[in-house]
Amino acid sequence: MYDVTHTDIPRLREGKVGAQFWAAYTSCGSQYKDAVTHVLDQIDVIKRMCKAYPEDFEFVTSADGIVSAFEAGRIAGLIGVEGGHNIDSFPSVLRMLVELGMRYMTMTHSCNTPWADNWKVDLDENPDEEQFGGLSEWGKKLVKEMNRIGVFIDLSHVSAEMMIDSLQATQAPVIYSHSSAFSICNSYRNVNDEVLELVRENGGVIMVNFYTAYINCPPENITDNLGEAELFQVADHIEYLAENCGYDNVGIGGDYDGVGTVPNGLEDVSKYPHLIAELIKRGWNEVNIKKLLGDNLLRAMREMEAVRDSMAGELPLEENMPRVSGGEATNGCRTYAYGTS
């Protein structure tokens, strides 16, 4: 069993996990097809899982809910939706996913949406053609709508220009649910120095990914094997982000069960205390350890919720995305709403 997954209840307890964003993930291949159906299925699984184990999990949707569950000795379970293609470019779907409990949405996965560029456009070989130089005009309206209804903008998986555009468009803190430091490991899935100051100014939180290929790559790799890494390298990423973005702006993302290889010493969710022990050896104090473990996310979430409350009188986004970009331009599956019956 332990060779199959990184996560189960005994190991969550051993790892002292107090809250967990469960990722409702669908593949890029579902875009323009049945992504919404698949993401609803994923959300259903998450909610049923929390309900099936009430002594261990409590499904929550707010910062106060996280604290309440923790104080009751349960693991707070939240929903993150990984990939903007899961809303099918409809603001109404976004709103309904929030009604079901989604509290972050990763704006793209490893493919462009019809309104945002993903990280692969920054690769030299550029397998995905850059469409917007970041975020489209309609995408900026979607960011505002996410602020209005109280859902984190997650900038893991997006291009560098998309990060900048989103940080300029949002009124609320953003998160990176699973990204690391580009200067240590030059993967475009990581966050570059140009963006770090913007994240600090925004009050956002970069939660470090444990995937070996995003931890152990040039210039500071210790081996040429992208499938290998060590715990101390994860600590290096955390310290770099703390020192160059801020101790108020770093967290732990993990990405367990979302990746195939993780560092030695961090084989599964039970190993989180080993990472904290490494940081304590490096001189981290209790206040900054608590920020890393959750206080930063709670602070950002409360600020996001405050922005939502301040926008309560604003009207919803009713403008659907113009169906002229990406796969939508040639999508023959749309019905009467777009004149393609």
Side-chain angles (χ1 to χ4, degrees):
M1 177 179 66
Y2 282 12
D3 291 334
V4 175
T5 70
H6 297 133
T7 306
D8 55 37
I9 292 172
R11 285 181 290 172
L12 286 167
R13 291 300 197 182
E14 185 179 350
K16 311 298 183 184
V17 175
Q20 174 75 47
F21 270 106
W22 301 103
Y25 163 77
T26 69
S27 71
C28 285
S30 66
Q31 184 165 213
Y32 310 119
K33 299 172 186 174
D34 49 3
V36 175
T37 301
H38 287 310
V39 80
L40 290 174
D41 186 54
Q42 292 284 300
I43 289 172
D44 176 62
V45 169
I46 293 167
K47 298 185 86 165
R48 286 191 291 115
M49 178 186 70
C50 291
K51 189 174 182 179
Y53 300 96
E55 293 184 359
D56 294 295
F57 296 131
E58 182 175 334
F59 180 70
V60 305
T61 59
S62 66
D64 285 348
I66 293 172
V67 173
S68 177
F70 181 78
E71 290 175 346
R74 291 186 286 271
I75 299 166
L78 301 96
I79 295 172
V81 167
E82 194 161 344
H85 60 280
N86 288 295
I87 66 168
D88 204 21
S89 300
F90 283 94
S92 55
V93 176
L94 171 75
R95 289 188 287 269
M96 291 302 98
L97 293 182
V98 172
E99 288 288 330
L100 290 172
M102 175 182 74
R103 286 301 179 268
Y104 81 68
M105 184 175 78
T106 317
M107 301 300 272
T108 72
H109 199 257
S110 296
C111 54
N112 292 344
T113 66
W115 40 270
D117 290 334
N118 85 99
W119 68 282
K120 288 186 176 179
V121 306
D122 294 332
L123 294 171
D124 292 337
E125 58 265 33
N126 195 8
D128 288 344
E129 181 181 355
E130 183 176 295
Q131 293 181 329
F132 309 108
L135 184 65
S136 75
E137 289 304 313
W138 186 85
K140 293 173 184 176
K141 295 176 183 178
L142 189 71
V143 166
K144 180 179 178 182
E145 182 68 354
M146 293 173 72
N147 290 165
R148 189 189 70 83
I149 59 179
V151 59
F152 275 127
I153 291 135
D154 175 20
L155 297 179
S156 288
H157 281 281
V158 307
S159 71
E161 285 300 319
M162 170 63 183
M163 295 178 191
I164 293 169
D165 285 351
S166 299
L167 284 159
Q168 291 174 341
T170 185
Q171 299 177 48
V174 305
I175 64 167
Y176 290 77
S177 62
H178 54 306
S179 294
S180 301
F182 181 85
S183 286
I184 293 179
C185 176
N186 287 174
S187 166
Y188 290 108
R189 270 287 283 104
N190 291 336
V191 189
N192 67 47
D193 285 357
E194 179 185 3
V195 175
L196 295 184
E197 183 58 33
L198 296 176
V199 175
R200 185 204 299 266
E201 293 172 0
N202 166 264
V205 182
I206 301 170
M207 294 183 277
V208 171
N209 193 325
F210 293 178
Y211 182 37
T212 57
Y214 304 154
I215 293 296
N216 178 55
C217 70
E220 298 192 18
N221 54 310
I222 59 171
T223 171
D224 292 333
N225 185 348
L226 295 179
E228 295 181 0
E230 299 293 334
L231 179 152
F232 78 83
Q233 293 178 281
V234 176
D236 290 346
H237 280 264
I238 291 172
E239 289 210 298
Y240 185 90
L241 293 171
E243 292 166 2
N244 292 278
C245 187
Y247 284 88
D248 293 335
N249 306 98
V250 64
I252 296 175
D255 207 9
Y256 284 122
D257 290 305
V259 297
T261 53
V262 292
N264 294 322
L266 289 170
E267 290 83 2
D268 57 52
V269 296
S270 71
K271 308 300 184 183
Y272 285 123
H274 297 190
L275 177 60
I276 302 310
E278 171 68 17
L279 293 170
I280 291 171
K281 288 179 184 177
R282 297 183 182 205
W284 279 54
N285 62 37
E286 182 178 353
V287 170
N288 286 333
I289 289 289
K290 287 182 176 179
K291 287 180 179 180
L292 175 75
L293 286 173
D295 282 355
N296 286 340
L297 179 68
L298 288 171
R299 185 264 310 155
M301 194 166 191
R302 288 194 171 102
E303 291 178 11
M304 178 265 286
E305 292 167 349
V307 170
R308 174 202 63 196
D309 295 345
S310 74
M311 298 177 72
E314 298 195 19
L315 294 174
L317 173 63
E318 295 186 356
E319 176 189 339
N320 287 324
M321 189 204 72
R323 304 281 157 169
V324 294
S325 64
E328 284 298 352
T330 56
N331 189 351
C333 296
R334 298 296 179 193
T335 55
Y336 66 90
Y338 295 100
T340 58
S341 60

